[in-house]
């Protein structure tokens, strides 16, 4: 692989710590969600960061593949749901759902665009065969909370 860019971030304190990128553009407090026995609070967590990264990357791949098909997906939304849970022998695993909405696109074309984006997206390529990733083409966008 010819490297185009390398992101660098440092964490101190694990899931109850702080994370910062080397360029200072990302600086977040981390906290364990209540659902995992933590206090919750104002910090984010690795699963939220993964979901945001995957959704952003997938939407960029979607827009690229749509342009290649002479279609417009610039008004699309991608919602990634990253789940964590035990996988046995003390380990934990992840699974992801990607919910994609593209305005004014029929189901068949939308599902084709989602599959094409899944072949291009670096997150999809990294997770393929490693964790379950389920793809959904939605007729309506999922609500932003």
């Amino acid at each position: 692989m010819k490297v185009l860019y390398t992101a660098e971030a440092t964490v101190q304190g694990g899931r109850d710590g702080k994370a910062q990128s080397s360029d200072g553009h990302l600086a977040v407090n981390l906290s364990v969600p209540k659902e995992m026995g933590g206090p919750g609070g104002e910090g984010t967590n690795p699963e939220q960061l993964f979901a945001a990264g995957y959704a952003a990357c997938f939407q960029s791949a979607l827009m690229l593949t749509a342009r290649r098909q002479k279609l417009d997906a610039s008004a699309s939304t991608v919602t990634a749901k990253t789940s964590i849970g035990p996988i046995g022998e003390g380990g934990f695993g992840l699974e992801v759902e990607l919910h994609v909405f593209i305005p004014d696109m029929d189901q068949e074309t939308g599902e084709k665009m989602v599959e094409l984006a899944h072949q291009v997206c670096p997150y999809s390529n990294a997770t393929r065969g490693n964790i379950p990733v389920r793809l959904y083409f939605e007729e309506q966008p999922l609500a932003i909370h």
Side-chain angles (χ1 to χ4, degrees), residues 15 35-37 47 82-95 131-132:
R15 285 182 170 271
E35 297 85 349
M36 292 178 62
E47 293 71 37
T82 300
S83 300
I84 184 171
I87 56 172
E89 310 219 6
F92 290 84
L94 300 174
E95 61 182 37
I131 66 170

Side-chain angles (χ1 to χ4, degrees), residues 59 62-63 66-67 71-77 102 105:
Q59 187 179 25
L62 179 68
M63 290 187 295
R67 274 194 312 273
L71 297 170
D72 183 11
S74 60
S76 62
T77 59
I102 309 170
M105 190 169 288

Side-chain angles (χ1 to χ4, degrees), residues 11-24:
V11 170
Q12 183 177 18
R15 285 182 170 271
D16 283 318
K18 297 180 182 302
Q20 183 166 337
S21 62
S22 59
D23 63 6

Side-chain angles (χ1 to χ4, degrees), residues 96-101 114 134-138:
V96 174
E97 292 182 6
L98 294 174
H99 297 264
V100 180
F101 170 71
V114 169
R134 289 181 293 286
L135 306 172
Y136 300 95
F137 180 76
E138 304 289 349

Side-chain angles (χ1 to χ4, degrees), residues 2-127:
K2 179 185 173 192
V3 174
L4 300 176
Y5 170 75
T6 299
E8 180 181 336
T10 301
V11 170
Q12 183 177 18
R15 285 182 170 271
D16 283 318
K18 297 180 182 302
Q20 183 166 337
S21 62
S22 59
D23 63 6
H25 292 296
L26 176 72
V28 294
N29 292 322
L30 302 170
S31 64
V32 178
K34 288 181 182 180
E35 297 85 349
M36 292 178 62
E42 296 183 23
T44 187
N45 58 66
E47 293 71 37
Q48 288 177 335
L49 294 169
F50 189 88
Y54 202 158
C57 191
F58 195 88
Q59 187 179 25
S60 291
L62 179 68
M63 290 187 295
L64 172 68
T65 56
R67 274 194 312 273
R68 289 177 176 169
Q69 302 290 318
K70 303 202 182 333
L71 297 170
D72 183 11
S74 60
S76 62
T77 59
V78 176
T79 300
K81 296 182 178 186
T82 300
S83 300
I84 184 171
I87 56 172
E89 310 219 6
F92 290 84
L94 300 174
E95 61 182 37
V96 174
E97 292 182 6
L98 294 174
H99 297 264
V100 180
F101 170 71
I102 309 170
D104 303 318
M105 190 169 288
D106 65 85
Q107 188 78 25
E108 182 180 344
T109 305
E111 287 175 359
K112 178 183 176 187
M113 290 301 98
V114 169
E115 280 299 329
L116 289 171
H118 192 47
Q119 299 307 310
V120 171
C121 176
Y123 275 70
S124 292
N125 289 329
T127 58

